[in-house]
Amino acid sequence: MIFYLLFLVFIFFVFELLLQFLINYLRKDCKWLITEKDDYPEFDQVNFNKFMDNSFDKELGWCRKPKTTGKEKGKFGEIVYHIDENGSRQNSFASETTIATFGDSYTFCRQVHDNQTWQAYLSNKLNDKVLNYGVGNYGVDQAYLYYQRQLVPSTTKIIILGFVPETICRVQSYWKHYLEFGNTFAFKPRYTLDDGKLNLHNNLLKNKMNLSEMAQIIEKSRENDEFYEKKFRMMQFRFPYLLRYFVNFNRNSILLYLLLKKKFLKFFNLPNLVADNTLFSVIMKENINFSHKMYENEEAVALLEEIIIKFRNLAYKRGHKPLLLVMPQLMDLKVINKKKKNPYHSFFSKISTEMPVIDMTQFLNIQNSEDFYIDDLYGGHLSELGNKLVADKVFDYIDKLPKSEPK
C-alpha cells in the first residue's frame, strides 16, 4: 500500500515538473499563460522610458500627446494618424466646432486614416468640425476624466461619449495587467462605489519613477482591482500546476494545443498566420464572454451606471448635450449571434431613460456585418464603411433634434 502511494506521488511530481517546464517554455510566446513570475513581471527599462515619454499621463494613465504623429500596421498597409495642438485627432474640416467626442479606440477610430474616422464623415454631413479625443483602451471612467479636464471650444454644444460594451470591465480595472495579461505599463485611475457614492482612486504611477518602486505600486494596485482575484489568480499557473490546469481545463488545453502547433510549424519553417489568428481569436472570445457576464453582476452594473450619470451631469452643468454611443466589437456580434442574446441591451435601454443613447449593435449586426469591420489583431475595429454607418446614425439623431436644441 505504501509503495503504491509513493508511486502515485512520484507520478504526480513527474507530471507536475513536465507541466511546469512546458508552461514556462511556452509562456515566452504567449502572454496569456501566466505564472507566479507574472505577479511581479520584469519591466524593460528602455520600453518603460519610451512609454513614459510618449504616452504616460499621471491623471489618466496614458493619453495622446498634442502635436504628435503615430503609425501602426494596418491590415491593408501602414496607418498614419496625427494629433493636433489640442490633443484631438486631426480633422482638416475648416469650420467652428459644436461637437466633441471622447472615448476609446472605437472613438479614436483605430486602423483607419484621419479622413476615414466617423468624426470626419460626420463633419462633412453636418458642415461642422467634430473633435476626436478618443484614446485606445480607455474605459468610460478615463474618458469622463479626460472630458472633465479638457478645455473644448466655447462653441461646443454636444459631447459624445463613445465606447465598446467591454467598458464594464475596464472601469473596474486599476492595473490592466490583471485584466489583459501582459499589459504591464497600463496603470490607471478608477472609481469604486462606496456606500452609493463614487470614490476616485488616483493613478499609482508617477512621473520619473524608478523601477525599483514598482513592487510597492503593484501591491497597492491589488487592493482596488476587481480582477486580481476574479481573473488573474483564477487563471494563474502556480503550484500545483496540475490543479490549475484542470481548474481551467478547456482554456488551457486549447492554448497549449495552439502554442505547440505554432512551435511545430515554426520548427519546419511553415506559415503560422492561421495559428496566430486562432490563438488571438480564442483570447478575444474569452474576454468578450467575460465582459458580457459582467452585465449580470449588480455591483459592476451599478458602478458603470454611476460613472455614466456623472458624465451626464457634468455635460449638463457645462451647457453641453450628452450622447452615449455604444459600438460593439466584431467579437461582440459573433458571441451575441451564437447565444442569440444581447447581454448589455437591457442595461443601455435603462440608461436611455436618463440620457440619449445610440446602440450601434442593431445597425451593425446585419447580413454581411463583417464588411463594417477590419478583422485585425486588435479585436476587429470599424472599417471605413463601419465608420460611415456610425456617422449616418449620429447624423440622423442630431438632425431630428428639435429646432430649439443645439445642432
Side-chain angles (χ1 to χ4, degrees):
M1 183 67 178
I2 295 176
F3 175 80
Y4 180 70
L5 289 175
L6 289 175
F7 177 74
L8 288 179
V9 170
F10 172 76
I11 293 297
F12 169 81
F13 277 102
V14 168
F15 279 99
E16 173 70 14
L17 290 173
L18 287 174
L19 183 58
Q20 287 192 26
F21 172 80
L22 182 62
I23 296 299
N24 283 283
Y25 171 67
L26 293 176
R27 70 185 290 272
K28 299 173 185 178
D29 296 325
C30 181
K31 64 182 181 180
W32 302 295
L33 279 180
I34 53 173
T35 69
E36 305 98 322
K37 296 177 181 178
D38 293 291
D39 281 322
Y40 299 93
E42 293 184 10
F43 286 80
D44 181 89
Q45 185 72 61
V46 174
N47 287 328
F48 182 72
N49 290 342
K50 183 179 179 181
F51 165 76
M52 296 296 286
D53 291 339
N54 298 332
S55 302
F56 173 71
D57 187 290
K58 65 179 181 179
E59 294 175 346
L60 304 174
W62 57 94
C63 196
R64 303 286 183 184
K65 303 289 186 181
K67 296 183 179 181
T68 58
T69 299
K71 297 179 182 179
E72 68 172 333
K73 183 179 180 181
K75 186 172 183 179
F76 305 108
E78 186 176 71
I79 301 294
V80 180
Y81 57 85
H82 307 82
I83 309 300
D84 69 18
E85 64 277 8
N86 297 312
S88 172
R89 187 166 183 177
Q90 183 173 290
N91 185 336
S92 59
F93 197 86
S95 174
E96 72 175 16
T97 293
T98 61
I99 302 174
T101 66
F102 292 83
D104 56 26
S105 62
Y106 279 62
T107 295
F108 180 76
C109 299
R110 194 169 184 177
Q111 289 287 290
V112 297
H113 296 287
D114 293 335
N115 63 348
Q116 296 173 328
T117 67
W118 56 263
Q119 291 90 341
Y121 292 124
L122 185 59
S123 293
N124 288 321
K125 293 178 75 68
L126 290 172
N127 194 32
D128 188 329
K129 185 174 183 178
V130 181
L131 299 181
N132 180 350
Y133 295 104
V135 181
N137 217 351
Y138 264 19
V140 294
D141 51 354
Q142 291 164 289
Y144 162 75
L145 290 169
Y146 193 7
Y147 169 49
Q148 184 182 55
R149 84 172 189 192
Q150 183 66 27
L151 293 175
V152 298
S154 59
T155 53
T156 303
K157 302 298 182 184
I158 297 175
I159 298 292
I160 299 176
L161 182 61
F163 52 89
V164 295
E166 194 180 8
T167 201
I168 195 169
C169 290
R170 295 177 181 180
V171 299
Q172 298 180 74
S173 176
Y174 204 27
W175 184 27
K176 279 298 191 70
H177 176 53
Y178 294 143
L179 175 63
E180 303 167 357
F181 309 148
N183 196 353
T184 54
F185 297 160
F187 291 87
K188 62 180 282 291
R190 75 152 299 198
Y191 286 99
T192 54
L193 196 57
D194 304 322
D195 297 324
K197 295 183 179 180
L198 287 174
N199 180 24
L200 178 63
H201 303 270
N202 293 322
N203 180 23
L204 292 169
L205 208 58
K206 308 298 180 185
N207 283 313
K208 299 180 180 179
M209 286 196 59
N210 192 302
L211 287 180
S212 62
E213 304 174 63
M214 198 60 71
Q216 185 178 2
I217 287 179
I218 289 172
E219 289 169 7
K220 287 183 179 179
S221 72
R222 293 174 183 169
E223 299 172 8
N224 289 302
D225 194 299
E226 296 289 329
F227 299 110
Y228 177 65
E229 294 291 345
K230 284 182 181 177
K231 189 173 183 180
F232 185 85
R233 291 285 287 176
M234 287 293 294
M235 295 185 177
Q236 182 188 44
F237 278 100
R238 55 188 186 274
F239 185 82
Y241 275 43
L242 282 171
L243 175 61
R244 307 313 306 174
Y245 182 89
F246 285 103
V247 166
N248 300 292
F249 180 79
N250 288 338
R251 176 187 191 268
N252 292 328
S253 297
I254 293 171
L255 288 184
L256 291 187
Y257 165 74
L258 291 172
L259 288 167
L260 289 171
K261 180 180 179 181
K262 181 178 177 180
K263 288 286 187 182
F264 175 83
L265 293 173
K266 185 177 180 180
F267 181 80
F268 288 101
N269 198 28
L270 297 171
N272 61 6
L273 183 60
V274 173
D276 287 340
N277 289 345
T278 303
L279 182 64
F280 190 83
S281 179
V282 168
I283 298 300
M284 276 299 303
K285 185 177 180 180
E286 174 185 281
N287 291 344
I288 293 300
N289 277 316
F290 190 81
S291 68
H292 286 183
K293 192 72 175 177
M294 294 305 295
Y295 282 94
E296 301 173 9
N297 183 305
E298 291 183 5
E299 293 180 359
V301 165
L303 175 63
L304 179 58
E305 182 175 0
E306 285 299 315
I307 296 172
I308 289 174
I309 295 301
K310 193 173 182 68
F311 158 74
R312 180 203 66 180
N313 292 344
L314 178 61
Y316 284 145
K317 183 179 180 180
R318 291 181 170 179
H320 299 152
K321 185 174 181 64
L323 171 64
L324 289 190
L325 178 60
V326 184
M327 294 171 283
Q329 300 178 68
L330 178 58
M331 188 59 75
D332 279 306
L333 301 185
K334 291 181 178 179
V335 171
I336 287 171
N337 288 335
K338 183 176 182 180
K339 295 185 176 181
K340 301 187 184 306
K341 179 183 178 183
N342 182 337
Y344 51 83
H345 174 74
S346 60
F347 173 78
F348 289 111
S349 291
K350 178 185 176 184
I351 293 295
S352 68
T353 64
E354 302 283 347
M355 61 181 296
V357 177
I358 298 176
D359 183 354
M360 290 298 302
T361 304
Q362 60 179 315
F363 306 115
L364 290 165
N365 196 18
I366 59 176
Q367 190 175 8
N368 299 323
S369 61
E370 293 193 5
D371 292 342
F372 296 116
Y373 291 88
I374 298 171
D375 197 2
D376 55 24
L377 290 178
Y378 309 102
H381 283 80
L382 291 172
S383 64
E384 181 181 2
L385 184 62
N387 285 322
K388 286 181 178 179
L389 181 63
V390 171
D392 288 343
K393 297 306 175 183
V394 175
F395 174 80
D396 289 344
Y397 162 77
I398 295 173
D399 193 50
K400 292 176 182 177
L401 289 175
K403 297 303 179 182
S404 58
E405 295 281 2
K407 285 194 179 182

